[in-house]
Amino acid sequence: MRISRRTFAAVAAAALFLPLSACGSGDDGGGSTDASGKIEGDITFQTWNLRANFKPYFEGLVSGFEKKYPGTHVKWIDQPAEGYADKISADAAGGTLPDVVNVSPDLVAPLAKAGLALDLDKTAAKYKPEYLEGAWASHQIPGLSGTYAFPWYLNTGPMFYNKSLFKKAGLDPEQPPKTYDDLFTDALQMAQQSHGKVATLANVPTIEDFGRYGAELMNKEGTGFAFNDAKGVELLTKYKELYDAKALDPQALTATPESTGKKFLTQAVAMNPGSALDLGNFKKNAPGLYKNIGITDQITSTGHVNMYVMGVMVNSRTKHTAASVAFAHYVTDAENQMSFAKQVAIFPSTAGSLDDPYFTKEDGTDETRVRIAAAKSLKNAVNYTPVLFSEQMKTALRNEVAKALQGKESPKAALDNAVKASDQLLKQQG
């Protein structure tokens, strides 16, 4: 699986509902939470759709761990992407959850609530300084104290912009917008100068946009969403202004990542998020665009871009806690993350790794150009997608945003409705 930014964003698409009577952490279900014992025993490690392309890497990883700790044996299993959430749910309910599991934050949340995810703040706190602060925090669950997975690989993507379109609009092509205020100002000018023919964006605001704008996404107790606060309403009101001025593409309401990509390719919009893979596409299919391409950070008013993160969780009911914690740490330590990052377009979550020349030194290639830009922004990035925000909630938000942009509801009413729908779905999660 080629892990592009879009794949990474969509890979945890299915919401996970555990059919468990236990709700709320506390009881570890019989496993030992002491990770200080001798590192030995047979454990099982489960990954998520990685065997096809990375079998030699993971076989080497397992072999290296077993060599380091002769009394251990690791059985590696890999599950397909489709149905992964359902598989974890079934294993959790049936008591067959592997000892060490590849998870994303939304998948670890119900496991932590059910007491099935080991709290690393209690059992492995000594490792915390090894990771980026934002990455370690990404597997913390609102309403619970603790951290429930080691951060593994990260991803993010820069914004591409069309320097030629900026110049035609009387904007400085070397000074792209960095904050949302900059973006709104530039977008309105571009729409005005092009008489509504060139939009700056082709996608509507998502939950990550509300986070990057500074809205409070969820209350600290984890019992309700809060993106209908003053900041949230302000952001949607601004997007409504863009939509009315045709600074936001008229088809944004039904846009997909593929359709927005095509709009940017044909130079109908001036900015679009992307990855290193896109640069090769521009070079081949749109040389005029490629010649004028600019690369900048994601738009943010908080000073922190959004990141996507994968993690490695330890089953709290494992019979070999010391070995499981040691292996989860081994998979995610700086050396092994760096090795994995050089095989696929992802980034390590370990502190200091992004200072490696691989992420800082230009070599003239497009792939390196984007990799350096993304790595720089990841150092203080945040996972803005609330771990409890499901796909159904994303759909509810998108539907209400569309109503606001079309003038069917006020921005405040639309966000109130989106929060109400999300809160109801949250209660159903248990």
Side-chain angles (χ1 to χ4, degrees):
M1 176 176 77
R2 178 76 176 182
I3 307 176
S4 68
R5 179 175 179 275
R6 291 185 192 128
T7 303
F8 206 103
V11 78
L16 176 64
F17 296 93
L18 285 175
L20 300 171
S21 56
C23 198
S25 69
D27 179 13
D28 64 22
S32 169
T33 59
D34 183 8
S36 63
K38 188 176 180 183
I39 298 171
E40 61 183 2
D42 294 358
I43 60 173
T44 305
F45 169 48
Q46 177 173 289
T47 53
W48 186 352
N49 195 31
L50 294 171
R51 181 180 291 271
N53 292 329
F54 307 109
K55 184 180 177 183
Y57 172 80
F58 285 100
E59 287 179 340
L61 195 69
V62 167
S63 176
F65 180 78
E66 291 175 345
K67 187 176 180 180
K68 185 175 181 179
Y69 301 103
T72 62
H73 175 72
V74 180
K75 179 183 179 183
W76 172 43
I77 55 177
D78 186 70
Q79 299 293 347
E82 190 174 349
Y84 188 71
D86 293 333
K87 173 64 176 167
I88 289 182
S89 180
D91 284 345
T96 56
L97 197 65
D99 299 282
V100 181
V101 188
N102 176 192
V103 290
S104 54
D106 62 314
L107 295 187
V108 84
L111 297 172
K113 284 185 173 183
L116 292 174
L118 197 66
D119 179 0
L120 300 180
D121 285 343
K122 290 181 179 178
T123 57
K126 64 181 179 180
Y127 297 126
K128 182 178 178 180
E130 295 181 22
Y131 302 88
L132 294 169
E133 186 177 345
W136 184 267
S138 65
H139 290 88
Q140 294 169 352
I141 316 301
L144 299 180
S145 61
T147 300
Y148 295 93
F150 284 100
W152 194 8
Y153 54 89
L154 311 176
N155 220 335
T156 190
M159 287 289 284
F160 290 124
Y161 69 100
N162 187 319
K163 290 184 177 181
S164 176
L165 293 180
F166 269 71
K167 193 172 182 179
K168 286 178 183 175
L171 298 166
D172 185 345
E174 302 305 323
Q175 295 292 326
K178 296 186 181 302
T179 68
Y180 281 91
D181 287 345
D182 295 341
L183 173 67
F184 299 142
T185 300
D186 289 358
L188 290 172
Q189 181 170 328
M190 189 169 293
Q192 185 179 23
Q193 291 293 324
S194 67
H195 305 288
K197 291 180 180 178
V198 179
T200 298
L201 297 175
N203 34 11
V204 299
T206 61
I207 192 69
E208 293 87 359
D209 286 296
F210 286 93
R212 285 187 299 236
Y213 191 67
E216 183 182 356
L217 303 182
M218 195 171 198
N219 65 32
K220 290 178 174 61
E221 296 75 30
T223 56
F225 293 94
F227 51 84
N228 59 338
D229 65 359
K231 278 284 188 183
V233 174
E234 187 176 277
L235 178 70
L236 188 50
T237 301
K238 293 286 189 180
Y239 263 88
K240 168 67 170 152
E241 290 176 21
L242 297 190
Y243 186 74
D244 290 345
K246 295 188 178 178
L248 180 65
D249 187 80
Q251 296 175 7
L253 303 183
T254 56
T256 63
E258 289 71 30
S259 67
T260 59
K262 287 178 181 175
K263 289 272 185 180
F264 185 71
L265 195 71
T266 58
Q267 305 192 57
V269 296
M271 299 190 80
N272 200 54
S275 72
L277 301 178
D278 293 312
L279 274 180
N281 182 36
F282 301 154
K283 193 172 187 177
K284 180 181 178 181
N285 298 314
L289 169 63
Y290 179 76
K291 187 175 66 175
N292 290 294
I293 204 74
I295 303 174
T296 189
D297 286 344
Q298 296 171 25
I299 304 296
T300 175
S301 294
T302 64
H304 302 277
V305 304
N306 184 61
M307 69 175 170
Y308 305 102
V309 58
M310 279 290 176
V312 178
M313 183 203 92
V314 175
N315 182 350
S316 66
R317 297 182 181 180
T318 178
K319 294 178 181 177
H320 303 287
T321 303
S324 296
V325 169
F327 183 71
H329 172 252
Y330 184 79
V331 171
T332 61
D333 71 17
E335 183 180 350
N336 287 312
Q337 285 210 50
M338 195 69 203
S339 176
F340 194 39
K342 289 183 178 180
Q343 296 195 29
V344 63
I346 52 90
F347 301 86
S349 62
T350 39
S353 295
L354 297 175
D355 293 323
D356 187 275
Y358 184 70
F359 298 112
T360 59
K361 191 174 181 181
E362 293 280 5
D363 62 6
T365 66
D366 290 333
E367 191 169 4
T368 300
R369 197 175 156 202
V370 176
R371 182 170 67 238
I372 289 173
K376 187 178 177 183
S377 70
L378 272 171
K379 289 184 180 181
N380 67 346
V382 172
N383 177 22
Y384 282 114
T385 306
V387 296
L388 302 176
F389 201 67
S390 69
E391 286 301 308
Q392 290 170 292
M393 295 171 191
K394 291 176 186 176
T395 299
L397 174 58
R398 187 179 181 88
N399 290 342
E400 292 299 330
V401 164
K403 291 176 185 175
L405 297 181
Q406 292 170 316
K408 295 177 180 178
E409 292 176 349
S410 70
K412 179 72 168 74
L415 292 181
D416 285 346
N417 289 335
V419 164
K420 184 179 179 181
S422 298
D423 285 349
Q424 289 175 340
L425 289 164
L426 183 65
K427 287 177 183 176
Q428 293 171 19
Q429 290 182 9

